Amino acid sequence: MKVTDHIEQAKSTLFSVEVLPPLKGQNINSLFGTMDKLMEFAPSFVDVTYHREEYVYRDAGNGLLEKRTVRKRPGTVGICAALKHRYSIDPVPHIICGGFNTEETENALIDLNFLGIDNVLVLRGDPIRSEGRFKPDPNGHSYAIELLDQVVDMNNGTYLDPELKNTDSTNFCVGVAGYPEKHYEAPNLSSDLRYLKKKVENGADYIVTQMFFDNEAYFNFVDLCRENDIHVPIIPGLKPLTGKRQLVSLPQNFYVNLPEEFVENIEQAKTKEEVREVGIDWCIRQCKELMERGAPVLHFYSMGRSAAIEEVARAIF
Ligand code: FAD
């Protein structure tokens, strides 16, 4: 079922979660263990992230370093199929531009369609960790909107090969990313919103936001979107903070602001347990307000850990 149908049919705010594929060489049972616990809260859909390749340098033994390309968390498509089969849940694979040419993307989308997967979240992806700038594959997409256009083309029965006639179309519901505090490369929020609007005009069915810790950022973002004629559902992304180090790592990795009161509360906490409690309480407060003000879904970033999400979900659902 499509994410947008879940939202349309819902009588109250829905719960969803984003999970990571296991590291290469690890068993899928660790992910099933996480999902077994989260199923208590009946997630409407589960996003599965995609991780692009990284460069690693190994000692070649001759005084030189050998550069190798590795994909540390492969398996997004397979995991989506496994989740759908095991839990009868709607998986939402993340599809990224980085590292793929358009034909590889088309083939991945065909696989997903054959597997009966109804949703995709299309993203540009971040630069390779050791590179400062995003570089597209020579025959790949530079921006999420180009990838979106490819999915919309397939939904209209148009594949890359112009010779293909009378083809079966796909029917993906397509999500895109939105940034209440703007994307880190955008010169300003208006410019970022202009491109977001274009993604919606070109066929995006819904938006999922980057995590935020100040609900005003989300409410302002939704207001701005509506003023700019962006009328698709905007799903808030949430993450309970669980450790003091995240005061640095979350802004560093996700370009988000942490409100002063929240930071003070975390800094004043004396033990790890207290820090965790403050983080979880803050997230519960965020969720309650978002629900009161009609957020369609609460979408949680697990980043490989679900215990804190379970505590939040137990307090609000
Ligand atoms: P785009 O929409 O392409 O935007 C990128 C930047 O370019 C923005 O600054 C935008 O304003 C600008 N821009 C957009 N279109 C144009 C244009 N036509 N011309 C000029 N400028 C333009 N990353 C992963 O690698 N894997 C994941 O699984 C993943 N999941 C995510 C899930 C969510 C909900 C979010 C919010 C992010 C996720 N990311 C993931 C991170 C994402 O890939 C990065 O934030 C990336 O830098 C931008 O992706 P985007 O789809 O927003 O890009």
Side-chain angles (χ1 to χ4, degrees):
M1 186 164 145
K2 293 183 173 190
V3 166
T4 44
D5 291 336
H6 279 289
I7 292 173
E8 259 170 43
Q9 291 172 23
K11 297 201 170 56
S12 56
T13 303
L14 300 173
F15 169 71
S16 72
V17 68
E18 175 188 290
V19 297
L20 274 59
L23 283 165
K24 190 182 266 186
Q26 283 184 2
N27 199 290
I28 195 170
N29 284 329
S30 60
L31 181 57
F32 288 159
T34 301
M35 283 306 302
D36 287 347
K37 293 186 199 126
L38 291 170
M39 287 310 288
E40 178 188 340
F41 310 104
S44 301
F45 53 92
V46 178
D47 278 49
V48 183
T49 55
Y50 212 112
H51 296 259
R52 72 171 302 175
E53 72 278 19
E54 291 175 29
Y55 298 138
V56 293
Y57 294 87
R58 300 233 166 94
D59 188 344
N62 53 2
L64 298 173
L65 290 175
E66 180 197 1
K67 181 179 172 185
R68 293 190 57 219
T69 307
V70 289
R71 197 177 288 278
K72 291 189 176 169
R73 291 183 186 270
T76 300
V77 172
I79 285 168
C80 286
L83 292 177
K84 190 174 167 69
H85 176 71
R86 188 177 168 102
Y87 299 101
S88 300
I89 196 170
D90 281 304
V92 184
H94 291 190
I95 307 290
I96 59 172
C97 305
F100 297 97
N101 64 41
T102 52
E103 191 166 354
E104 288 163 341
T105 298
E106 183 173 89
N107 291 340
L109 290 164
I110 288 171
D111 279 344
L112 292 169
N113 187 43
F114 287 162
L115 289 165
I117 286 163
D118 296 324
N119 304 281
V120 288
L121 186 76
V122 300
L123 302 142
R124 187 194 68 180
D126 279 322
I128 291 183
R129 218 172 267 251
S130 52
E131 292 181 343
R133 287 183 45 237
F134 176 84
K135 289 190 203 137
D137 185 276
N139 292 312
H141 300 303
S142 301
Y143 293 103
I145 193 166
E146 298 167 11
L147 174 52
L148 170 87
D149 289 346
Q150 184 173 7
V151 181
V152 171
D153 278 349
M154 287 175 69
N155 279 351
N156 291 323
T158 304
Y159 290 72
L160 292 175
D161 183 349
E163 303 283 300
L164 283 179
K165 294 269 189 293
N166 302 320
T167 45
D168 285 335
S169 53
T170 56
N171 188 20
F172 289 113
C173 171
V174 194
V176 292
Y179 302 83
E181 298 175 89
K182 97 169 180 66
H183 182 256
Y184 66 96
E185 289 169 19
N188 52 54
L189 189 54
S190 316
S191 141
D192 210 18
L193 274 171
R194 212 170 40 248
Y195 291 119
L196 180 60
K197 183 176 178 180
K198 194 88 189 81
K199 290 196 273 192
V200 173
E201 284 170 351
N202 283 20
D205 296 296
Y206 70 98
I207 297 164
V208 188
T209 77
Q210 181 57 282
M211 68 181 76
F212 56 87
F213 294 85
D214 180 353
N215 282 355
E216 283 313 309
Y218 170 78
F219 296 134
N220 291 339
F221 179 69
V222 174
D223 287 347
L224 276 173
C225 285
R226 302 311 182 217
E227 281 164 27
N228 282 279
D229 276 333
I230 299 172
H231 294 293
V232 296
I234 303 177
I235 298 175
L238 293 151
K239 152 124 192 77
L241 183 148
T242 50
K244 235 177 212 174
R245 271 190 305 188
Q246 289 172 340
L247 288 182
V248 175
S249 64
L250 294 176
Q252 195 170 41
N253 294 320
F254 301 101
Y255 308 92
V256 292
N257 286 303
L258 301 174
E260 208 172 318
E261 182 197 340
F262 183 41
V263 174
E264 274 171 17
N265 293 349
I266 295 282
E267 278 170 349
Q268 279 163 15
K270 293 193 179 60
T271 61
K272 280 185 185 172
E273 291 71 29
E274 261 184 58
V275 170
R276 194 170 180 282
E277 203 179 305
V278 172
I280 289 174
D281 280 351
W282 185 272
C283 190
I284 292 172
R285 272 166 53 190
Q286 278 191 276
C287 292
K288 286 187 172 162
E289 190 185 23
L290 288 162
M291 287 169 95
E292 274 162 26
R293 292 183 55 176
V297 184
L298 300 179
H299 182 71
F300 291 89
Y301 294 105
S302 77
M303 291 162 67
R305 285 163 202 225
S306 66
I309 296 174
E310 287 164 45
E311 282 186 51
V312 173
R314 197 158 291 124
I316 55 169
F317 286 110

